[in-house]
Amino acid sequence: MQVQDFIEMVKTQRADPSGRWQERANCLGVDPDLFFPERGASTREAKGVCKGCEVRLECLEYALAHGEKFGIWGGLSERERRRVRRERAMARRLATA
Ligand code: SF4
């Protein structure tokens, strides 16, 4: 699934609220540094781990809810998560207008 497809999916699906999603994370046992690359470094490897993760949506929602500013969460970079936040904010404004 491409990032754009995932961002679209996030608009319609809801994460599992059980809170136990970390136990099913694809990145369990993977070097955490991979998910917090130096500025300008490739995120491809981390995103590759996330791509096959069954709790990707839960991970992304956690990052959005907790304002995680750094790293790859749910397969999205900081910039991509800002985009999701912007789109959600815009959707909320339109819904209340
Ligand atoms: S989406 Fe990526 S960072 Fe999040 S739990 Fe899955 S593998 Fe780990």
Side-chain angles (χ1 to χ4, degrees):
M1 180 185 296
Q2 299 299 313
V3 167
Q4 179 58 40
D5 297 334
F6 182 63
I7 289 173
E8 289 301 316
M9 186 187 85
V10 165
K11 291 178 183 173
T12 57
Q13 295 198 5
R14 288 291 157 251
D16 173 5
S18 72
R20 296 174 63 93
W21 58 269
Q22 291 97 337
E23 296 170 7
R24 294 181 283 134
N26 221 20
C27 54
L28 282 178
V30 176
D31 180 0
D33 288 348
L34 193 67
F35 296 87
F36 296 91
E38 295 291 324
R39 191 173 183 84
S42 173
T43 58
R44 182 182 301 200
E45 204 174 341
K47 287 183 172 182
V49 176
C50 297
K51 196 170 186 177
C53 183
E54 67 177 82
V55 292
R56 195 172 166 189
L57 184 59
E58 286 79 1
C59 178
L60 175 62
E61 291 297 347
Y62 176 90
L64 293 172
H66 292 83
E68 293 288 352
K69 299 252 187 297
F70 304 103
I72 304 296
W73 292 80
L76 300 188
S77 65
E78 298 96 333
R79 178 187 288 184
E80 291 160 342
R81 291 196 303 278
R82 279 198 302 273
R83 180 174 156 198
V84 171
R85 277 197 289 269
R86 268 198 313 273
E87 289 185 3
R88 285 184 175 180
M90 189 180 304
R92 279 194 301 273
R93 278 197 299 274
L94 289 173
T96 58

